[in-house]
């Protein structure tokens, strides 16, 4: 079993990771998604904690796994960019020795942490656009039903989970298409060789989780943009990895989507 840990498992002295290895008999494969999160500057006060987490990440860097979108790109027929993982390892090795996050210290170490922040913001922006489009499609479905029946459908009815689930299920092909187009854009951005097979089976686990996430958030009426980066860890299920997290919300989501055999909850 190869386990991709949630970023929160890298914090502390690494006991969660050690316990995970001993209890599961598996190996740890740190994700570049976690590397990106650790590099995103917050404040100098949180720097030592993030540096310790980065050291824990580097302990397992020999098994590091590419970020989720490139992982899907490779699974769909594109080639892996050369030195992609090693570049992140080099950046983290420089990061753990930073005395502070000032521009001067970053320049001396050959780092630019603002680039990591921009990259993470870009990922979140893509999620905003994707979710806005799907929420808009849902609202259009409700509006069409209201017009058909000649009266306004109460919020409590239009957001009842069983109704939301029936409507959102029809968005599956839309979600797949949006993700395929994102992979094509990524391949162009990185000049990847190959072509997109558009094989939906290669992204099945991720889309299953995404649909369940949408059902829950529409029913609750409170989509949370900050959940996006964590949600991406479920893409690794399509590569045969197991996702481990301390977050109860991801355990619940995995249960609802039928992914319990691909998920480890760390209490």
């Amino acid at each position: 079993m190869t386990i991709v840990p949630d970023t929160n498992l890298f914090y502390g002295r690494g006991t969660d990771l050690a316990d995970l290895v001993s209890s599961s008999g598996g190996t740890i494969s740190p994700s570049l998604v976690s590397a990106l999160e650790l590099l995103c500057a917050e404040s100098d006060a949180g720097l030592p904690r993030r540096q310790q987490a980065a050291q824990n990440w580097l302990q397992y860097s020999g098994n590091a796994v590419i970020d989720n979108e490139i992982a899907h790109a490779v699974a769909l027929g594109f080639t892996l960019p050369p030195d992609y993982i090693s570049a992140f390892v080099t950046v983290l090795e420089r990061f753990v020795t930073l005395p502070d996050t000032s521009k001067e210290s970053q320049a001396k170490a050959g780092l630019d942490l603002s680039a990591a922040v921009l990259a993470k913001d870009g990922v979140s922006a893509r999620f905003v656009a994707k979710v806005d489009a799907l929420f808009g499609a849902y609202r259009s479905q409700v509006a069409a039903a209201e017009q058909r029946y000649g009266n306004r459908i109460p919020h409590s009815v239009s957001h009842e989970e069983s109704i939301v689930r029936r409507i959102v299920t029809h968005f599956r092909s839309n979600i797949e298409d949006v993700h395929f187009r994102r992979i094509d854009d990524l391949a162009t951005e990185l000049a990847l060789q190959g072509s997109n097979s558009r094989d939906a089976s290669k992204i099945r686990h991720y889309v299953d989780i995404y649909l369940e996430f949408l059902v829950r958030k529409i029913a609750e009426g409170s989509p949370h943009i900050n959940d996006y980066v964590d949600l991406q860890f479920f893409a690794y299920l399509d590569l045969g990895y197991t996702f481990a997290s301390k977050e109860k919300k991801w355990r619940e989501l995995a249960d609802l989507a039928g992914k319990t055999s691909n998920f480890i909850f760390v209490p």
Side-chain angles (χ1 to χ4, degrees), residues 1 205 209 234 237 241-244 250-265:
M1 178 190 297
H205 290 305
I209 285 286
F234 285 103
L237 273 55
Y241 293 105
T242 297
F243 174 41
W250 297 133
R251 178 178 65 177
E252 293 169 1
L253 193 65
D255 288 346
L256 288 168
K259 308 298 177 187
T260 51
S261 61
N262 309 95
F263 180 83
I264 298 175
F265 177 66

Side-chain angles (χ1 to χ4, degrees), residues 66-187:
I66 52 183
D67 70 69
N68 63 293
E69 288 186 332
I70 292 185
H72 270 170
V74 172
L76 289 166
F78 292 102
T79 57
L80 179 66
D83 304 321
Y84 192 75
I85 291 177
S86 61
F88 271 85
V89 172
T90 299
V91 169
L92 281 177
E93 288 173 340
R94 294 175 181 175
F95 173 71
V96 297
T97 62
L98 274 181
D100 55 61
T101 56
S102 67
K103 292 294 184 183
E104 293 76 15
S105 294
Q106 290 182 46
K108 287 180 181 178
L111 290 176
D112 180 6
L113 295 180
S114 62
V117 175
L118 287 173
K120 187 178 178 183
D121 287 347
V123 166
S124 296
R126 290 195 294 274
F127 174 65
V128 171
K130 190 185 296 184
V131 169
D132 279 353
L134 292 167
F135 270 65
Y138 178 79
R139 286 190 291 269
S140 294
Q141 291 272 359
V142 173
E146 288 175 345
Q147 193 172 33
R148 186 180 307 123
Y149 296 111
N151 62 337
R152 183 164 180 79
I153 301 174
H155 181 280
S156 59
V157 174
S158 66
H159 285 65
E160 199 276 320
E161 185 170 322
S162 63
I163 295 175
V164 172
R165 187 176 299 281
R166 286 202 300 272
I167 294 175
V168 168
T169 299
H170 294 292
F171 295 165
R172 186 180 189 94
S173 60
N174 177 274
I175 293 172
E176 291 170 347
D177 185 60
V178 167
H179 196 57
F180 286 142
R181 282 189 276 117
R182 170 58 199 153
I183 296 301
D184 285 332
D185 291 343
L186 181 72

Side-chain angles (χ1 to χ4, degrees), residues 181-238:
R181 282 189 276 117
R182 170 58 199 153
I183 296 301
D184 285 332
D185 291 343
L186 181 72
T188 300
E189 290 169 22
L190 299 178
L192 302 183
Q193 299 297 310
S195 60
N196 192 341
S197 68
R198 297 182 69 87
D199 181 353
S201 69
K202 301 293 186 182
I203 61 172
R204 178 176 59 85
H205 290 305
Y206 177 66
V207 175
D208 286 347
I209 285 286
Y210 207 107
L211 281 166
E212 200 59 55
F213 176 78
L214 285 172
V215 169
R216 168 169 286 194
K217 292 305 176 181
I218 290 175
E220 292 175 354
S222 57
H224 201 297
I225 299 305
N226 291 336
D227 285 340
Y228 176 66
V229 174
D230 288 346
L231 188 67
Q232 301 314 292
F233 283 99
F234 285 103
Y236 294 112
L237 273 55
D238 288 307

